[in-house]
Amino acid sequence: MTESEGLLFDDNLPANHRSGYVALVGKPNVGKSTLLNAWLGFKLAPVSPKPQTTRARLLGILTRPDAQLIFVDTPGIHLPRTKLGEYMVHAATQAIPDADVLVFLVDATEPPTRADEEIARLIEQQAAGAVILALNKIDQISPERHPAIRSAYEALGSFEQVAEISALDGTGCDALLELVLTRVPLGPRYYPEDQVSDLHERYLAEELIREQLLLLLEQEVPHALAVIVDDFDESNEKRLRISATIYADKESHKGIIIGKGGAMLKRIATQARAALTTFFERPVKLELWVKVRPHWRQNPHALREFGYGMTEKDE
């Protein structure tokens, strides 16, 4: 195998080998990360019932003998109320023109909202590749409501194909994947066969810890938190040691995270340790600390420090 201009070429690839970027876009909490995990066959993206779980673009790489698909999981497009929200929407919309195939994922349990209409408008204006409409949670709507719901979403724009899936139980996901594959151009591999993401292990650890904050804490609290891994020690082959700091937006949130007698922080650490152990496939010693960084979601300097900042050009 030789490397040229950032592409990985393999003489053993079939002549009809396909490769390209597939962006998953939609409003918050429609199942983009769940679909990504289903396609990859393991949990890469954090998932929770709360909206805006995904904060940054996340690449998941699926390599098969006949194709390499680079999935781009994006934050839900919404009306931002903070600088962090502005970054999230920017990260999502930036993926639209760059994708070879774009999957517009919607929640089929409800009619299109103004957010869906706005996203469809952005797609129409900016998409350069094929656009597939995917109706998710199709298993949760009654046969009586199905035709009207589907027609309402189809009316949002011009789509090459319309698919119906349940990302949670896998219904229709394989069929949608094969549909995506037919729209991806012919090409070589961009990444080595065994690479599953472009993200560093530290970032993946931060996301797994933050996922537990979303699952265990209520209301606004988890959305106002950031997680930074301070130490990622792999020197012991038998055990991974991770030390991380949870940054709260308000002093009052710190007490909620720690809990009475430290009970909540212990619970967070226990569940996060289990998730990290599963992902990294070895025991993990986890240390968690809690600090306050007032109003960090509105602070461009803090956002850049935490990995969410836009460049001056983007701003």
Side-chain angles (χ1 to χ4, degrees), residues 235-270:
S235 59
N236 187 333
E237 293 182 359
K238 295 183 179 180
R239 173 175 290 189
L240 180 63
R241 182 180 176 276
I242 298 174
S243 177
T245 301
I246 302 169
Y247 287 91
D249 194 56
K250 300 177 182 178
E251 188 68 39
S252 60
H253 290 171
K254 181 177 179 180
I256 296 172
I257 300 164
I258 296 173
K260 187 175 182 180
M264 177 54 73
L265 186 59
K266 290 179 182 177
R267 189 178 174 192
I268 293 167
T270 297

Side-chain angles (χ1 to χ4, degrees), residues 1 6-8 13 16-22 60-71 100 181 184-185 187-196:
M1 181 178 290
L7 299 180
L8 295 171
L13 293 179
N16 62 345
H17 184 274
R18 295 179 180 273
S19 62
Y21 287 80
V22 181
I61 304 165
L62 176 63
T63 300
R64 315 187 334 179
D66 61 339
Q68 184 174 80
L69 302 177
I70 303 124
F71 300 114
D100 295 297
L181 186 60
V184 173
R189 289 177 180 167
Y190 291 81
Y191 293 92
E193 183 177 355
D194 59 350
Q195 187 169 343
V196 296

Side-chain angles (χ1 to χ4, degrees), residues 60-131:
I61 304 165
L62 176 63
T63 300
R64 315 187 334 179
D66 61 339
Q68 184 174 80
L69 302 177
I70 303 124
F71 300 114
V72 186
D73 184 21
T74 65
I77 298 175
H78 62 286
L79 184 64
R81 295 183 297 167
T82 64
K83 290 290 185 183
L84 173 61
E86 291 176 7
Y87 164 81
M88 292 163 63
V89 172
H90 176 79
T93 55
Q94 194 176 44
I96 294 175
D98 295 336
D100 295 297
V101 179
L102 192 145
V103 178
F104 177 23
L105 201 65
V106 299
D107 183 349
T109 64
E110 61 180 18
T113 63
R114 290 186 62 184
D116 292 306
E117 294 172 357
E118 177 62 18
I119 295 168
R121 185 185 66 80
L122 287 172
I123 291 172
E124 184 177 358
Q125 292 177 344
Q126 300 183 19
V131 180

Side-chain angles (χ1 to χ4, degrees), residues 111-188:
T113 63
R114 290 186 62 184
D116 292 306
E117 294 172 357
E118 177 62 18
I119 295 168
R121 185 185 66 80
L122 287 172
I123 291 172
E124 184 177 358
Q125 292 177 344
Q126 300 183 19
V131 180
I132 299 173
L133 172 67
L135 279 66
N136 190 26
K137 308 180 186 179
I138 198 69
D139 56 317
Q140 299 179 34
I141 66 172
S142 65
E144 294 77 15
R145 296 182 63 227
H146 177 273
I149 290 286
R150 176 166 174 142
S151 296
Y153 278 108
E154 288 180 329
L156 292 179
S158 299
F159 308 107
E160 289 204 9
Q161 295 285 341
V162 180
E164 299 182 357
I165 68 167
S166 172
L168 194 59
D169 68 17
T171 301
C173 291
D174 288 344
L176 176 57
L177 180 61
E178 294 305 315
L179 189 61
V180 167
L181 186 60
T182 64
R183 299 302 189 273
V184 173
L186 297 173

